[in-house]
Amino acid sequence: MFDEKMAAAVETAQKRLMQTTGQGSVLMQLAKDMDELAELADRLDPSRIDFDKGGLEKLKINAYWNRFEEYYPALKELFGRMERSRKILSNSITTVSRFCEEYRAAYDKFRSLPEDVKDEDYYHQAAVCENMSLMLENSVSEHKAAQERLTRLLTLLESSIDMAVLLAKQKSGHDVGMALGRTARTSVSGREYCENFVEMKRWLGNNK
């Protein structure tokens, strides 16, 4: 026994998966943005610089702030894109969860068929249906995990930019750009800035 309605449900689910996880989806855009952020974070890694020292260290500090100023526009633009993706991702989670619930309702009905109609064709189809159910559930989990990672990275990126702007001005007299304006700070140490950057790179590593 082959169930045409269940076959149609599987086909619809497959198309929806492609829309929410394939090329052009928010997940694909986020992957690209996080790769770009990881590259920028490597170029701006402050871990080998002591911002509280003078002497020859000042040469490294000045070179660092010149480099940060160069990449500041890219960081700000990337932050804006990721903020927009966060809103899209929230809507996508709602959509994917609804798709999953709709499919689960059809699948539960299919599984509740009487045992006497479940022949070899039924069990072959059931295996395909179960696989699709798992794929939909995994998609929901993937979207939620991406949301958690993105939320944390946005917080860390925002604080990194604001710390850098403040630290550069206070310690070295460099104007490297504008703070994003949502982190209420009046002072920052080089150690705090480095620790925040390390945490951001750790979360970027979790994305791979």
Side-chain angles (χ1 to χ4, degrees):
M1 177 213 140
F2 183 81
D3 192 306
E4 296 287 349
K5 289 184 178 179
M6 195 63 226
V10 171
E11 184 178 355
T12 298
Q14 180 64 43
K15 290 178 181 177
R16 287 171 169 175
L17 272 179
M18 292 300 295
Q19 291 170 356
T20 55
T21 61
Q23 291 292 333
S25 69
V26 65
L27 292 182
M28 291 297 291
Q29 181 60 51
L30 272 177
K32 293 176 183 177
D33 287 344
M34 288 185 185
D35 283 345
E36 182 178 343
L37 180 56
E39 184 178 341
L40 288 170
D42 284 340
R43 293 179 180 180
L44 294 172
D45 188 344
S47 59
R48 295 184 180 181
I49 300 175
D50 188 339
F51 292 96
D52 301 315
K53 274 191 175 182
L56 293 177
E57 194 74 9
K58 281 189 175 181
L59 296 175
K60 290 170 61 177
I61 293 171
N62 286 334
Y64 178 83
W65 292 131
N66 287 337
R67 189 163 67 251
F68 190 96
E69 185 177 5
E70 177 186 353
Y71 288 115
Y72 171 82
L75 283 173
K76 187 177 179 181
E77 182 183 355
L78 183 58
F79 181 84
R81 287 206 311 268
M82 291 172 69
E83 274 277 33
R84 289 191 293 273
S85 290
R86 181 182 62 80
K87 295 174 183 177
I88 295 171
L89 184 59
S90 179
N91 292 332
S92 187
I93 288 173
T94 300
T95 300
V96 174
S97 297
R98 187 179 73 249
F99 290 165
C100 191
E101 290 172 4
E102 290 173 357
Y103 180 85
R104 174 58 68 176
Y107 184 33
D108 286 346
K109 185 176 181 180
F110 174 72
R111 291 193 300 178
S112 67
L113 290 172
E115 289 298 325
D116 59 0
V117 303
K118 295 180 179 179
D119 56 12
E120 186 175 352
D121 286 341
Y122 170 89
Y123 287 110
H124 285 160
Q125 187 176 12
V128 173
C129 295
E130 177 64 19
N131 185 57
M132 179 55 67
S133 180
L134 292 173
M135 290 172 66
L136 286 169
E137 290 171 3
N138 287 340
S139 180
V140 173
S141 298
E142 184 181 7
H143 277 74
K144 289 181 178 179
Q147 183 184 50
E148 178 187 2
R149 200 157 45 232
L150 176 58
T151 299
R152 184 59 179 150
L153 278 170
L154 280 169
T155 299
L156 291 165
L157 177 56
E158 178 184 12
S159 58
S160 287
I161 291 173
D162 286 0
M163 283 182 182
V165 169
L166 185 57
L167 185 63
K169 188 169 291 186
Q170 284 187 338
K171 295 286 186 178
S172 305
H174 277 255
D175 186 0
V176 298
M178 295 284 292
L180 297 179
R182 290 178 289 184
T183 304
R185 282 183 170 273
T186 57
S187 64
V188 63
S189 69
R191 179 184 56 80
E192 288 178 290
Y193 176 56
C194 290
E195 287 177 352
N196 192 81
F197 223 90
V198 166
E199 181 70 0
M200 183 170 68
K201 291 190 72 172
R202 186 179 74 81
W203 276 83
L204 285 167
N206 286 347
N207 183 56
K208 297 185 183 300

